[in-house]
Amino acid sequence: MQAPPTTVSPDDLAARLSGVALEQPVRRSKRPARVFHNLDSSSTDPSSQPIIPSDLPDPTSSFDASIAASLNGFVPSVPDATTPKPVAPGAMHYGSGAAMAAAMTPGRDTQPVSSGVGGNGRVDPDQIPSLVSVRESNQEYYATHVYPTMEKLCPPIAGTQYTAIDQGSSNPKFGRLTLCSVPQTPEMLATSHLPLGLVLQPLSSLNPGENEVPVLDFGESGPPRCNRCRAYINPFVQFADGGAKFVCNMCQFANTVPGDYYSPIDASGRRIDRDQRPELNLGSVDFIVPKQYTTSEPIPMRYLFAIDVSADAVNKSLPHLSAQAIRRALYGSASSLPEGCKIAIMTFDRALHFYNLSSNLTQAQMMVVSEVDDSFLPLMNGLFVDPEESRMVIESLLDRLELMFEDLKVPEPAFGAVLDVAFQALEATGGKVFVTLSALSTWGPGHLVFRDDPRQYHTEKEKALFSGDNVYYKTWGQKYAHAGVGLDLFVFPSTYCDLANVGTICELSGGELYYYPNFVPQRDGRRMISEFSTAVDRTIGYQAQLKVRCSNGLQVAAYYGNFYHARPAADLEFGTIDEHKSVVAMFKYDGKLDPKLDSHFQAALLYTTKSGQRRVRCHNFVAGVTTQIKEVVKFCDEDAVVSVIAKEAVQRMVTDQLKDIRSGITEKCVQILASYRKHGAAMSSPGQLILPEALKELSVLLLGLNKTKALRGGNVSSDMRVFSMRLIKSMPIEDLALYLYPRIFGLHNLAPEDGYVDPASGQFRMPKYLRASLARFDAGGVYVIDNGQNCYLWIHRRVNPNLLRDLFGPKYEKLEALDPYLNELPEVDMPISTQARNIMAHLASLRGAKALSIQLARQELDGAEYEVSAMMVEDRNNEAMNYVDYLCHIHKQIQLVNHS
């Protein structure tokens, strides 16, 4: 029997409450009929050649690898061009510039290196492929060039800031194919060992210089579609019979053109009205769809905020921080809530607290449901309100939240009951739920037990810790996805929180999991507020379904990401999907491809916008078909390949041991490079390591993947591994590339022009980046290490006091004097301070879902120094090789494969 709700008069709490002070697209005149991949360098047809920056290296980098049997060393006979460390004229240098001693840098590789074959057979690390130099050369080129989607064959390297021109194939920000030249047969694909997939980010944001996706309305008839495969009209369909029919580019079926869509065609088969039809010119469009595309009347988004007010939450100031975050999301200057949206607020510990926020009230009324095993909604009128109409009531409640619970401190949060009542509130309309959680949910329905056992680490039993064993959360995740409800969960644990179970709801509903281990309000509160408000304000679609279609000869084989997939042939279901989520579609052959035709791919996302409009967003991609493996490799997208390998690898964490997954990643790298050497490269000495230009950095990226918290060796908590696993599964390509190999630069040796906009190019000038090795850090230096998720400020123990004063203020002369909870650079009236703060602001503008907040990593003082050491991909750490030894190992394995 349901217990009646308890109504608490606001007057009873008045004595305990007080206010809280808070703070024109460029379009080509004629579209090429096909994508040409011509390897003949003598061709003069510009449409048949990729436009490649003139300063990029030769398509094949050859390394003369003389293997020392005992040391696994090799020597590059053709060194990779590496930019020397810059010394800008007139720049102020605070450090000595000398290489740090090995004793000062825990975790670094202390083995000596030389630039040639010496007595020990080692190699200079400067002469192996550098991801840093490739990133910088790409950024330098695209600072003054645009990316036309039908003229370049491979997108810019991930992390490059560029402007794309949609010429019929979609902007790479929306999706990237692993292979821009698709093998004709499945045997060719198997021989290359490269994956054939499409990495999608359907709602990705665009640069200010790029045109927004056009919104098209075809009325009650809806957009024209193929009657056989149901693909949507796109730039690659061909019109025939004087314009009365269109031939689908996916299945080659001839469809009758709807009467209201008819237009005559010219002698070349081009529609007379083509230039006035965005859907026939652009790769990405939004179609407003009629009622038959939805089961209920779409309405503006509804948001439910559920705040944990249990003892741990109060001790961490979560009610106070959550109130600030909600206020910023609703009423901040960057708020983008649509007109007509409604919000609700509830709190929970062992009981559930609902608030009547009706604008007719002077202050919110609280209603308490204590029987969480049979929870229900005690009110409907007044639960969801217009945030502007009820602003006074909402802000009054937010002011009082922390004080209302500071003396109660109930130990356990009933998170499972929150899932139930949130679903009851949003089942009919769809929407978004935001929940904060501070501890293991041991109370009420879906209660959990502590099951993290370090003795299971590195054993066959460890993989059980990475998958949820409580069917309660899986069931609710599926219900949320069906109803069009997504959940974002913010977790602030003191100990184990069982993210494998509680995070399942985020995974299946298309939401996001935010994890703040070792949360300190003074240091991490600002980041939490920023990320919470970003999660509310960003572009979101709800009640979403995704379908990927491809050309005859191919079919979708699998999907990777955070969603619910009921059965193999069904569409993917998302309660919500936002601009920062990616999904991978993998393809397999069901026949041969026709080399006379291109290979086409279309992703269609059916969703409801935040403003309540039902749409289908279509993205179209095209690739050539080839009969040469060399061409397959030359035109592959390295970042998309790595993204697919990464998502496949973490998908296996629930079935395979971590050591086997790491070995499998290395084996995949060996297979790809060995196949290229055997089938695609020119004849060379067996002692040479041949790396195709398109995959030159594959080894270091996969080494970085093996060193992520999801897969690395050593003792990592199961919660941390699960968080990293789910992060990688839904992470966009740009974020993943940075997560695998961070950006690193010094603040102690900034050039005068760093940190300002270059007047010649109009681009922001960043400092030179360093390779990810502590051996490259200067004694006395100050470095920023940013992997897109966390940002550390590493400071050498013998830093110059003048540098400390210039960066942090005149009273700071020693490292020990710095506030360990510092989360941003203070404003100091010094040039280097201005430069550094400009740089950090620029980095913050590049962030996606995660806010930029610095954390101090002072040498020999802060525990974060270990995190910095673990992010040095090119060093020996995390029970894994350094970059030099890894390349040597790869080369030896390639020799074994080719000799077998």
Side-chain angles (χ1 to χ4, degrees):
M1 182 175 178
Q2 293 178 341
T6 305
T7 302
V8 180
S9 170
D11 295 334
D12 297 337
L13 300 173
R16 299 167 54 193
L17 306 180
S18 61
V20 180
L22 306 171
E23 320 215 337
Q24 247 8 281
V26 180
R27 187 169 59 228
R28 298 177 61 204
S29 59
K30 186 174 181 180
R31 173 183 61 83
R34 296 186 57 239
V35 175
F36 295 96
H37 294 177
N38 189 349
L39 294 180
D40 182 7
S41 60
S42 64
S43 172
T44 59
D45 180 6
S47 67
S48 68
Q49 296 293 326
I51 300 176
I52 301 175
S54 59
D55 56 346
L56 292 184
D58 186 74
T60 300
S61 297
S62 174
F63 292 88
D64 186 359
S66 302
I67 302 294
S70 60
L71 295 175
N72 295 334
F74 72 89
V75 180
S77 60
V78 184
D80 181 44
T82 304
T83 305
K85 187 175 296 186
V87 180
M92 181 179 293
H93 295 274
Y94 296 88
S96 65
M100 293 195 299
M104 301 178 189
T105 55
R108 67 171 273 195
D109 178 20
T110 59
Q111 296 298 322
V113 297
S114 62
S115 59
V117 178
N120 56 11
R122 300 290 290 180
V123 62
D124 185 350
D126 284 337
Q127 297 182 351
I128 57 179
S130 168
L131 182 59
V132 167
S133 63
V134 173
R135 286 176 174 177
E136 288 185 337
S137 64
N138 264 254
Q139 187 59 72
E140 182 180 357
Y141 177 81
Y142 284 107
T144 55
H145 295 74
V146 298
Y147 177 85
T149 62
M150 285 294 290
E151 294 181 11
K152 289 179 181 293
L153 295 174
C154 287
I157 191 169
T160 304
Q161 299 302 302
Y162 66 94
T163 298
I165 305 298
D166 185 338
Q167 297 177 319
S169 188
S170 289
N171 191 320
K173 297 178 181 68
F174 293 125
R176 295 166 68 143
L177 287 162
T178 57
L179 305 179
C180 299
S181 191
V182 180
Q184 180 189 10
T185 65
E187 291 78 17
M188 276 187 64
L189 182 65
T191 299
S192 73
H193 291 281
L194 288 164
L196 177 56
L198 175 60
V199 187
L200 288 163
Q201 194 179 346
L203 298 181
S204 175
S205 59
L206 297 175
N207 290 342
E210 297 171 328
N211 293 292
E212 291 298 322
V213 176
V215 181
L216 311 177
D217 190 354
F218 285 83
E220 290 301 315
S221 61
R225 304 178 66 177
C226 175
N227 291 324
R228 176 190 286 172
C229 70
R230 305 302 292 160
Y232 291 86
I233 194 77
N234 63 80
F236 303 101
V237 301
Q238 299 294 320
F239 290 88
D241 288 354
K245 292 185 179 296
F246 73 88
V247 180
C248 176
N249 57 306
M250 299 288 173
C251 67
Q252 305 305 310
F253 181 74
N255 299 268
T256 300
V257 174
D260 56 357
Y261 193 65
Y262 171 79
S263 173
I265 58 175
D266 59 21
S268 65
R270 190 176 186 271
R271 280 175 63 116
I272 301 299
D273 66 346
R274 184 182 185 94
D275 291 339
Q276 287 74 49
R277 292 288 188 179
E279 72 277 8
L280 299 180
N281 289 279
L282 301 177
S284 298
V285 294
D286 262 334
F287 296 115
I288 299 176
V289 293
K291 294 180 180 179
Q292 57 262 36
Y293 284 76
T294 185
T295 57
S296 60
E297 185 67 24
I299 62 172
M301 179 83 85
R302 293 197 171 192
Y303 302 84
L304 173 61
F305 303 102
I307 303 170
D308 184 353
V309 291
S310 62
D312 278 351
V314 173
N315 292 336
K316 295 168 186 172
S317 299
L318 290 186
H320 171 66
L321 293 172
S322 300
Q324 291 191 55
I326 294 172
R327 179 181 280 108
R328 176 171 168 178
L330 299 183
Y331 307 118
S333 59
S335 178
S336 62
L337 295 185
E339 184 178 354
C341 78
K342 292 189 176 183
I343 68 106
I345 299 174
M346 64 174 290
T347 54
F348 66 98
D349 41 36
R350 280 191 176 184
L352 308 177
H353 321 125
F354 300 87
Y355 299 92
N356 186 340
L357 303 175
S358 173
S359 59
N360 298 324
L361 301 173
T362 57
Q363 57 183 351
Q365 292 179 343
M366 175 195 283
M367 305 189 77
V368 180
V369 175
S370 56
E371 294 295 332
V372 294
D373 287 320
D374 193 15
S375 53
F376 63 99
L377 289 175
L379 76 160
M380 290 302 294
N381 295 329
L383 180 62
F384 284 96
V385 297
D386 186 294
E388 289 299 329
E389 291 179 359
S390 297
R391 179 167 182 171
M392 183 183 69
V393 180
I394 293 171
E395 295 220 61
S396 174
L397 173 63
L398 295 177
D399 287 340
R400 294 151 44 195
L401 268 183
E402 183 174 20
L403 295 176
M404 289 168 62
F405 301 97
E406 64 178 359
D407 297 329
L408 301 180
K409 295 191 176 180
V410 179
E412 300 114 331
F415 174 62
V418 174
L419 299 180
D420 191 345
V421 295
F423 182 78
Q424 293 178 43
L426 292 170
E427 179 182 12
T429 63
K432 189 76 175 182
V433 183
F434 301 89
V435 185
T436 61
L437 183 65
S438 65
L440 185 66
S441 180
T442 57
W443 186 263
H447 63 274
L448 300 169
V449 296
F450 195 98
R451 63 188 185 107
D452 185 40
D453 185 356
R455 293 174 298 181
Q456 296 181 1
Y457 293 177
H458 315 301
T459 70
E460 184 68 26
K461 295 181 180 180
E462 184 180 24
K463 59 191 178 186
L465 300 175
F466 306 147
S467 60
D469 64 348
N470 194 317
V471 70
Y472 183 86
Y473 295 95
K474 184 176 181 179
T475 300
W476 278 117
Q478 295 172 359
K479 288 183 177 180
Y480 270 54
H482 281 311
V485 181
L487 184 141
D488 283 2
L489 180 61
F490 296 76
V491 183
F492 309 83
S494 297
T495 58
Y496 176 69
C497 233
D498 200 353
L499 295 186
N501 273 310
V502 299
T504 300
I505 188 75
C506 304
E507 179 178 13
L508 294 177
S509 72
E512 186 158 352
L513 178 64
Y514 295 82
Y515 185 53
Y516 303 87
N518 307 313
F519 182 79
V520 178
Q522 302 94 312
R523 180 190 66 203
D524 304 318
R526 174 174 164 268
R527 174 187 172 190
M528 176 265 178
I529 292 172
S530 179
E531 291 180 350
F532 193 103
S533 59
T534 296
V536 177
D537 291 331
R538 63 186 170 186
T539 301
I540 301 174
Y542 70 102
Q543 296 177 334
Q545 294 178 304
L546 179 68
K547 180 73 173 181
V548 178
R549 297 177 174 88
C550 50
S551 294
N552 282 344
L554 296 172
Q555 61 177 320
V556 177
Y559 291 100
Y560 303 125
N562 290 343
F563 48 77
Y564 175 58
H565 198 195
R567 58 188 184 279
D571 296 350
L572 305 187
E573 296 182 61
F574 304 82
T576 58
I577 183 171
D578 59 68
E579 61 181 286
H580 301 129
K581 296 296 182 297
S582 75
V583 178
V584 167
M586 300 298 297
F587 304 100
K588 64 181 180 181
Y589 289 76
D590 57 9
K592 286 186 177 181
L593 300 180
D594 187 346
K596 297 178 181 179
L597 298 174
D598 288 328
S599 187
H600 296 271
F601 306 85
Q602 184 181 86
L605 178 71
L606 175 65
Y607 70 107
T608 304
T609 66
K610 290 200 296 184
S611 60
Q613 190 175 69
R614 196 72 169 157
R615 298 179 182 176
V616 169
R617 174 164 291 196
C618 275
H619 298 300
N620 297 278
F621 307 91
V622 61
V625 177
T626 184
T627 58
Q628 302 179 44
I629 286 187
K630 184 176 182 179
E631 190 174 356
V632 174
V633 178
K634 182 175 182 179
F635 299 125
C636 74
D637 185 336
E638 181 181 61
D639 293 300
V641 169
V642 170
S643 182
V644 168
I645 294 174
K647 294 175 193 294
E648 286 181 331
V650 297
Q651 193 92 348
R652 293 170 51 203
M653 287 177 62
V654 299
T655 58
D656 299 348
Q657 286 192 255
L658 296 178
K659 63 179 182 179
D660 296 331
I661 298 174
R662 292 193 295 268
S663 296
I665 291 171
T666 299
E667 183 180 355
K668 186 69 173 178
C669 182
V670 170
Q671 290 173 337
I672 292 171
L673 297 180
S675 174
Y676 176 76
R677 179 185 180 88
K678 183 177 181 179
H679 301 285
M683 295 297 294
S684 58
S685 165
Q688 288 183 317
L689 174 59
I690 306 299
L691 299 177
E693 174 62 24
L695 296 172
K696 195 172 63 173
E697 296 78 32
L698 179 66
S699 300
V700 71
L701 287 169
L702 295 186
L703 177 61
L705 175 59
N706 274 339
K707 293 184 177 186
T708 59
K709 290 182 179 179
L711 300 174
R712 68 173 56 159
N715 286 342
V716 179
S717 72
S718 62
D719 271 354
M720 181 57 75
R721 288 197 189 275
V722 169
F723 170 68
S724 181
M725 172 185 74
R726 291 199 168 123
L727 194 65
I728 291 173
K729 283 178 67 176
S730 66
M731 189 179 278
I733 284 180
E734 286 73 16
D735 290 357
L736 179 62
L738 198 57
Y739 190 61
L740 300 184
Y741 196 101
R743 59 165 71 96
I744 305 170
F745 55 88
L747 295 181
H748 59 287
N749 55 359
L750 294 176
E753 61 270 21
D754 291 340
Y756 299 101
V757 175
D758 184 351
S761 65
Q763 300 292 312
F764 187 85
R765 172 69 182 262
M766 285 291 292
K768 288 290 184 181
Y769 293 143
L770 269 71
R771 296 172 69 158
S773 172
L774 285 173
R776 298 177 183 275
F777 285 18
D778 292 338
V782 176
Y783 290 91
V784 174
I785 302 96
D786 176 28
N787 70 352
Q789 307 298 312
N790 304 98
C791 184
Y792 297 97
L793 191 64
W794 186 94
I795 309 178
H796 190 269
R797 62 181 179 179
R798 296 204 302 264
V799 63
N800 191 316
N802 291 330
L803 176 57
L804 287 182
R805 285 192 291 265
D806 291 353
L807 277 176
F808 301 103
K811 65 178 181 179
Y812 297 104
E813 296 185 357
K814 295 183 178 180
L815 275 184
E816 295 80 1
L818 294 178
D819 182 1
Y821 299 146
L822 182 77
N823 57 30
E824 61 180 342
L825 293 174
E827 185 174 346
V828 181
D829 190 17
M830 291 297 294
I832 190 175
S833 173
T834 302
Q835 289 177 279
R837 286 183 287 108
N838 286 349
I839 292 169
M840 300 310 291
H842 178 68
L843 291 182
S845 70
L846 302 180
R847 287 295 187 101
K850 305 301 171 68
L852 187 140
S853 178
I854 65 172
Q855 182 173 346
L856 284 184
R858 298 168 294 178
Q859 191 180 33
E860 300 180 355
L861 286 177
D862 298 313
E865 185 186 6
Y866 170 78
E867 296 293 335
V868 170
S869 177
M871 293 165 68
M872 299 297 109
V873 178
E874 298 196 20
D875 289 344
R876 181 182 293 117
N877 50 31
N878 304 308
E879 299 186 359
M881 305 176 194
N882 62 28
Y883 183 23
V884 171
D885 288 345
Y886 191 68
L887 269 181
C888 294
H889 174 72
I890 293 291
H891 181 235
K892 289 187 68 175
Q893 295 302 310
I894 291 173
Q895 288 181 310
L896 292 175
V897 169
N898 287 331
H899 290 161
S900 61

